[in-house]
Amino acid sequence: MPCGAGSGAAPARQQQVPKAVSFVESIIHEALPRHPCGLHLHRQRHPTRRLTTHPHPSTIAWPDPLRGQAFDTWLRAAGAAHGLLPASLRSASSDASFRRYFRIDGNTCGKAGGGAVRSFIVMDAPPALEDVRPFVTVSAMLLAAGLNAPQVLAQDPAQGFLLLTDLGSELYLDTLQDAQRRADLPAADTLMRDALHALVQWQTRADASALPAYDDALLRRELALFPDWCVTRELCVIWSPADQAVWADTCDLLVRSALAQPVVAVHRDYMPRNLMVCRDAAVEIDRTRGRNIDLTGRPCNPGILDFQDAVRGPVSYDLASLLRDAFISWDEEQEIDWAVRYWQAARQAGLAVPDDFGEFWRQVEWMGLQRHLKVLGIFCRLKHRDNKPKYSEDLPRFFAYAHKVASRYNALRPFSRLLEPLMGVTRVEGFY
């Protein structure tokens, strides 16, 4: 198919795309032997309510009847142990590629019939396309680190079925966007500080040794998505040998910076779209850590999702993902304020971040640039290969992130000039 062709694509060399908008599918990662999708959960606002009957059976469709039968058999066994109400099964996710998530009610006493009920999440992940074992492994890591993640209550990895606890329906992203609309910075600040504390806790308490390495090969495979899908396919631009040399130098700089950093557990998509506001439980303030803790001692905010692609890699990666997100942007002054708070907490916790905040901020920016170039390529691939053109609406946000960083540092300035024609920008040099 020619460059620029695909669902909703125009044949022009440069394409104007609308202002960025939010949507409901997580970034798809590269180079791991599975095809992850985001875990996007929705449930009733209250965690517990009185039992209600469901007179009609579930309307979940199964393209493969045999898989549907296998699911029913597994659900009956899980339901007996957890008091699940099969007729309450309903969809709980949208725009998932291979995984599907359902919500189902169950009795708090663990027996069907009578009493209060709460909701659970069921994952359906066809084993030919998905491997649920990384999800199970990383869920256990997060919980062992004292963080709030879905607990796996029942599992059949061979068939790709999991029963999970339900973290609710209030996304960080929705709440932060609402705070921005209302100019309520204190509300946003409270959520972001919780996320920063949780990040430090993840990095200091999780044993990353069993996770896949975020190594030179993976970093470069991700970077290659940008010229392959964004430059060549989306924008129909062919780089000259000189342009390709600039790109190669830029990749070397970014990879070298990433690999020089301390290695920790990396969520790999630690952004507001994958964090849940968990305020249903009765809470008290833990004064020593400055965090909300539910009355059982378990941290209740944020709930953490979409972690199955965790790796061991650069300490700055998840912070860059959180501060310069795919779906919400902040003034740089606010980004730096939160970065300083993270940096101070990380040093106090014993993480080997640089003593000089300026050097640490450079690491964050360069790591963010690597991520944003990857995402530019992925969003264009989703448009052209996967027939999801809506993703291209967020290209301007990522070009702006990338150009801001590249134009700020002397070593990356040649790359900023390479980006400008792709953005439709003409540079005017002034001499005074």
Side-chain angles (χ1 to χ4, degrees), residues 14-15 51 64 79 82 107 164 191 217 241-242 269 305 338 354 405:
Q14 298 288 347
Q15 182 180 0
L51 174 63
D64 179 357
H82 296 279
N107 287 274
L164 311 170
L191 291 179
D269 241 350
L305 305 177
W338 286 326
V405 172

Side-chain angles (χ1 to χ4, degrees), residues 83-157:
L84 302 182
L85 306 172
S88 68
L89 189 72
R90 64 270 192 197
S91 178
S93 65
S94 56
D95 286 350
S97 297
F98 299 107
R99 298 175 190 255
R100 295 195 298 175
Y101 294 91
F102 311 129
R103 178 163 280 105
I104 191 169
D105 296 329
N107 287 274
T108 55
C109 63
K111 296 179 181 179
V117 299
R118 60 174 176 147
S119 59
F120 299 84
I121 294 297
V122 179
M123 180 195 296
D124 165 38
L129 302 170
E130 299 282 353
D131 183 358
V132 300
R133 290 173 299 177
F135 184 98
V136 174
T137 298
V138 182
S139 169
M141 289 178 59
L142 286 160
L143 293 169
L147 296 166
N148 194 2
Q151 181 182 356
V152 179
L153 303 174
Q155 58 179 294
D156 185 342

Side-chain angles (χ1 to χ4, degrees), residues 28 62-63 84 86 91 102 117 120 122 127 141 208 213 219 229 280 288 310 320 355 367 370 375 389 394 426 431:
I28 296 177
W62 291 92
L84 302 182
S91 178
F102 311 129
V117 299
F120 299 84
V122 179
M141 289 178 59
L219 289 162
W229 287 96
D280 285 339
T288 61
D355 292 335
M367 195 74 256
Q370 187 275 345
V375 172
D394 260 336
T426 302
F431 299 93

